[in-house]
Amino acid sequence: MKALYAQSGGVTSVINASAYGVIDEARRNGLEIYVGINGVTGVLKEKFLDATELDIEFLRYTPAGAFGSCRKKLKSESDIEKLFEIFRKNDIRYFFYNGGNDSMDTAWRLQMEAQKRGYELKVVGVPKTIDNDLPHTDHCPGYGSAAKYIAIAMMEAALDLRSMYVDSTQVFVMEIMGRHAGWLAAAAALGWVNGIGADIVLLPEEPFNKDEFIAAVDNVVSKKGHCAIAVAEGLKYPDGFFVSDMGFTDSFGNRQLGGVGFTIAGMVRSELGLKTHVAIPDYLQRSGRHIASATDVQEAEMCGRMAVRYALEDNYGVMVTMERVSDDPYEIRYSSVPLNLVAEQTKMLPKDYFDKFAVTEKFFRYALPLIQGEFYPPFKNGLPDYKLLDLK
């Protein structure tokens, strides 16, 4: 039996740990395991890597997609037909797709097509997204490490701001990923558990009111002389329009967003006359493996292992999920959910996790266990010793 694994969508600092889990578990169970280079885009070109004998230890420490990712959505019948021709030709009977919302839609379509065609194919989704917005799972691999990165970055930027505000920048704005849900932006406040964090958090779930925002900034500055702001890229006006809509869509049909940090900073400058500075972590927040959460790395690997175990148990057409058993001590259990309940769905930040421009104690209880521990990569010459595969 041959199995195929592939990565899809925006990468994370721990997606390769899931790859490690899938490949190692498949080999332990006697499966011939291959990897599709650059997701379904590469599969359509029959770009496979035989991972049966591959040295995979480096995957546990390497960020981003070691095997290449893609943003291809299966839209045409010709693409689907070609995929199944390739599956048949190579006798692929297991397919593990590692991705987010749109990737789970691809996985679901392939499972349904296999049933329609009478082709024995077991598809299992391996969850991945720093946005943490996949439904029916407590959280997603990738989120804990990205949240830890954002929390630390905001703490350090806030200290910089505090040092310089007397005759320099008084308002610091960090623009954070999160198209529809504010899970990652909310993490900018986690540093308050150690006394330093974002003073104001702007979330997609809270419709943006300029007057209320300006008043909040003015209030913070009047009290402490400076203000640190975290803003999610998906911040929306009450009418539902994105504050940072760039006017075009990506290959998945999503509105392309960018520049909300500068928009917010411009409002502060024009209304309050304060000097501002904007930072955009962008790719850094999703591939910052040097400060990854040990909890996140371990759970990402286990999600990969569980995907293989479920497939071998004939539990397929599903995505691996994590269920919270308790916050303290932190405990989860692994389960699964049908792919069609996840595909193209979004889990928003619950209303009791935030209060206007702040996050609540309930969010702290939820998020803090996910950022615990460090799982440092090996270092060489003072830098992380990341490994690269030749994907040509």
Side-chain angles (χ1 to χ4, degrees):
M1 285 291 191
K2 293 182 181 179
L4 179 64
Y5 165 83
Q7 300 173 329
S8 176
V11 295
T12 77
S13 65
V14 301
I15 186 173
N16 293 326
S18 290
Y20 177 90
V22 169
I23 295 170
D24 187 62
E25 194 69 24
R27 297 195 306 202
R28 287 169 182 259
N29 285 277
L31 294 179
E32 202 173 325
I33 180 74
Y34 293 81
V35 177
I37 304 303
N38 295 115
V40 292
T41 298
V43 175
L44 284 165
K45 300 174 183 176
E46 289 191 75
K47 292 181 65 177
F48 296 154
L49 175 68
D50 186 348
T52 306
E53 301 293 334
L54 182 69
D55 182 356
I56 60 173
E57 186 61 27
F58 79 98
L59 292 172
R60 305 178 74 212
Y61 302 99
T62 304
F67 303 106
S69 189
C70 70
R71 286 196 180 278
K72 183 175 180 62
K73 198 165 187 176
L74 290 180
K75 298 178 181 179
S76 69
E77 287 298 320
S78 62
D79 279 348
I80 293 174
E81 183 64 38
K82 187 172 183 180
L83 274 177
F84 277 92
E85 287 178 5
I86 292 169
F87 285 162
R88 287 192 183 93
K89 175 183 175 182
N90 294 277
D91 195 28
I92 302 297
R93 298 296 176 171
Y94 297 89
F95 183 48
F96 304 104
Y97 210 33
N98 203 169
N101 314 66
D102 293 309
S103 305
M104 293 306 122
D105 178 63
T106 296
W108 173 244
R109 290 188 182 201
L110 290 176
Q111 188 67 80
M112 291 299 96
E113 284 293 330
Q115 292 180 12
K116 283 169 54 178
R117 296 161 186 264
Y119 182 76
E120 185 181 342
L121 179 69
K122 299 176 182 180
V123 182
V124 179
V126 184
K128 172 263 354 165
T129 176
I130 66 169
D131 293 334
N132 200 40
D133 59 356
L134 290 175
H136 305 292
T137 184
D138 178 76
H139 57 283
C140 303
Y143 173 67
S145 295
K148 187 177 184 117
Y149 183 97
I150 287 296
I152 293 172
M154 179 56 81
M155 291 176 72
E156 293 173 343
L159 286 172
D160 188 299
L161 180 67
R162 184 175 182 269
S163 302
M164 302 293 294
Y165 80 92
V166 172
D167 56 7
S168 186
T169 301
Q170 288 181 269
V171 176
F172 171 77
V173 181
M174 182 183 291
E175 179 181 323
I176 301 169
M177 288 180 173
R179 176 181 302 278
H180 298 298
W183 294 97
L184 197 52
L190 289 177
W192 283 117
V193 72
N194 287 354
I196 312 164
D199 298 299
I200 292 175
V201 180
L202 301 175
L203 305 167
E205 292 85 351
E206 178 68 33
F208 180 67
N209 181 297
K210 178 182 174 181
D211 292 337
E212 292 180 350
F213 165 66
I214 293 298
V217 175
D218 191 36
N219 181 55
V220 173
V221 173
S222 67
K223 290 180 178 178
K224 57 194 291 189
H226 52 88
C227 179
I229 301 168
V231 55
E233 63 178 346
L235 186 68
K236 297 177 183 177
Y237 290 111
D239 60 8
F241 282 94
F242 290 110
V243 175
S244 62
D245 194 323
M246 297 179 72
F248 57 93
T249 60
D250 64 16
S251 59
F252 278 148
N254 298 315
R255 300 299 297 179
Q256 193 66 33
L257 307 179
V260 68
F262 291 100
T263 300
I264 293 301
M267 293 178 185
V268 172
R269 285 195 305 273
S270 65
E271 297 294 328
L272 300 177
L274 300 174
K275 185 177 180 181
T276 64
H277 185 84
V278 179
I280 306 177
D282 200 45
Y283 288 5
L284 307 180
Q285 63 202 299
R286 72 186 190 190
S287 289
R289 179 61 185 80
H290 62 287
I291 194 63
S293 155
T295 298
D296 194 25
V297 176
Q298 292 157 6
E299 291 178 346
E301 178 183 328
M302 187 53 66
C303 280
R305 292 188 183 280
M306 293 305 299
V308 175
R309 293 175 190 178
Y310 287 150
L312 292 173
E313 295 168 357
D314 283 337
N315 179 18
Y316 55 92
V318 299
M319 182 189 80
V320 178
T321 62
M322 291 180 279
E323 299 176 357
R324 182 84 60 114
V325 176
S326 67
D327 295 326
D328 187 17
Y330 174 65
E331 182 183 353
I332 63 163
R333 60 171 168 252
Y334 294 91
S335 187
S336 63
V337 63
L339 284 165
N340 63 309
L341 298 182
V342 181
E344 297 186 315
Q345 303 298 312
T346 301
K347 179 180 70 176
M348 311 299 284
L349 193 69
K351 291 183 178 180
D352 57 355
Y353 279 24
F354 64 95
D355 182 12
K356 205 63 178 179
F357 301 126
V359 298
T360 65
E361 179 60 31
K362 194 165 185 177
F363 175 75
F364 278 85
R365 291 199 303 271
Y366 167 84
L368 283 174
L370 309 183
I371 69 171
Q372 297 304 307
E374 291 70 49
F375 198 112
Y376 297 116
F379 276 69
K380 181 180 179 181
N381 297 320
L383 298 169
D385 188 19
Y386 297 140
K387 304 298 183 184
L388 298 175
L389 289 173
D390 184 359
L391 301 180
K392 294 180 181 179

